[in-house]
Amino acid sequence: MGIFLTLAYLFFIGSVFGWVLELLYRNLKKPHQKWINPGFCTGPYVPLYGFGLCILFLLSVLGERNLISNPFWNKVAVIAAMTFCMTLIEYIAGLLCLKVLKIRLWDYSGLWGNIQGIICPIFSLAWGALGAAYYFLVHPYILNALRWLSQNLAFSFVIGMFFGVFLIDVAHSVQLTARLKKFADENEVVVKYESIKQHIRNVHQQRALKYHFFSPFRSVHTLSYHLREIYGTRDKQRKNGRMLHEKEKKK
């Protein structure tokens, strides 16, 4: 079976299971809040985890070649490489969204040792634990799944359908982020992606309106309305600051 189909299959599995993991984690973290569809896309998948599973798989295969003669240190090196690579993927994704799109997909600003609120030691350790769990517990099952796929190549049609829907979803999300970026540029703010979802959910809940779980930005109000509700106070403060500055100049 080709490496492209293998990675496509792993991306499919990782994205879907990552979405489930994020959904459960956020519900356990804030059980009092209503469930919100996590991630950048609309569908039940988180691409970051898809890329992550591909990296974990490749590093595990590399570790099986025993590049370090001592088995113990070979495993330690693999887990360390997994921790570093997953943290790096998270940092690159977060930094691109923050600097290019002016959107913050997650925020670790309140956690110790964080770098720009994008990565922090606690979540790096979590990535390491996740990598270790994959290496020792999940990887053998992934190999079995790949063997099954090689014997049932008709399933690749399902993977093709997934990527078709996924690409349409990404195109829709890019259009949405373009609107958010425009607002962020005009108002000199960084838009928090998950905060907007939560705000829309709260508004619908307070007014007994229907909330669409798989369309978290869908609302009876425009997106601009919700953005002004969240960031409007800052705009007023900024305008008031400019007015005071101009008055001081005139004096």
Side-chain angles (χ1 to χ4, degrees):
M1 188 171 62
I3 187 65
F4 177 78
L5 182 57
T6 297
L7 294 178
Y9 184 50
L10 292 173
F11 183 86
F12 163 66
I13 295 174
S15 298
V16 174
F17 277 90
W19 179 86
V20 174
L21 188 63
E22 280 286 325
L23 188 66
L24 294 176
Y25 167 74
R26 296 184 187 202
N27 182 61
L28 292 173
K29 184 180 178 182
K30 297 180 178 180
H32 60 282
Q33 288 188 357
K34 297 291 185 179
W35 287 31
I36 295 176
N37 185 7
F40 175 77
C41 297
T42 299
Y45 32 76
V46 179
L48 181 66
Y49 285 89
F51 288 115
L53 182 58
C54 291
I55 294 296
L56 295 181
F57 171 79
L58 293 174
L59 289 173
S60 296
V61 171
L62 190 63
E64 290 172 349
R65 297 185 179 181
N66 296 318
L67 300 179
I68 300 176
S69 57
N70 186 303
F72 174 78
W73 289 112
N74 185 69
K75 290 181 175 62
V76 170
V78 171
I79 302 303
M82 288 178 171
T83 304
F84 173 78
C85 289
M86 293 300 292
T87 302
L88 183 62
I89 291 173
E90 185 178 36
Y91 182 72
I92 291 173
L95 187 65
L96 286 174
C97 288
L98 186 61
K99 298 299 182 181
V100 178
L101 301 177
K102 301 292 179 66
I103 294 173
R104 188 178 286 279
L105 293 178
W106 58 85
D107 190 3
Y108 300 154
S109 298
L111 299 178
W112 175 83
N114 76 86
I115 299 176
Q116 297 173 277
I118 301 173
I119 57 174
C120 69
I122 293 176
F123 276 88
S124 290
L125 288 174
W127 286 125
L130 190 64
Y134 170 83
Y135 186 58
F136 293 111
L137 303 175
V138 180
H139 187 62
Y141 293 100
I142 291 293
L143 294 176
N144 290 335
L146 291 174
R147 279 192 286 270
W148 176 87
L149 180 62
S150 66
Q151 297 168 4
N152 298 271
L153 289 177
F155 187 76
S156 59
F157 176 74
V158 176
I159 300 175
M161 287 183 61
F162 163 78
F163 276 96
V165 174
F166 173 71
L167 290 175
I168 293 172
D169 195 339
V170 169
H172 173 265
S173 298
V174 168
Q175 290 180 342
L176 175 65
T177 54
R179 294 165 62 190
L180 295 177
K181 183 180 185 303
K182 182 181 178 182
F183 177 87
D185 288 336
E186 290 175 350
N187 295 275
E188 300 176 4
V189 296
V190 173
V191 175
K192 292 186 176 181
Y193 208 70
E194 298 302 321
S195 295
I196 302 170
K197 291 181 185 179
Q198 185 64 58
H199 177 78
I200 293 174
R201 173 116 208 188
N202 291 341
V203 169
H204 281 236
Q205 185 177 352
Q206 291 170 2
R207 301 179 185 179
L209 299 172
K210 183 180 179 181
Y211 178 75
H212 303 272
F213 179 79
F214 282 109
S215 296
F217 289 94
R218 184 176 174 184
S219 173
V220 292
H221 301 292
T222 64
L223 181 59
S224 298
Y225 169 85
H226 291 289
L227 289 170
R228 287 194 300 270
E229 282 280 300
I230 299 172
Y231 300 99
T233 303
R234 291 184 182 179
D235 295 339
K236 289 176 183 177
Q237 289 176 348
R238 200 166 9 253
K239 288 177 181 177
N240 290 337
R242 290 197 193 103
M243 289 174 66
L244 287 172
H245 183 65
E246 289 174 1
K247 286 181 180 178
E248 289 177 358
K249 278 186 174 181
K250 290 178 180 179
K251 290 180 180 179

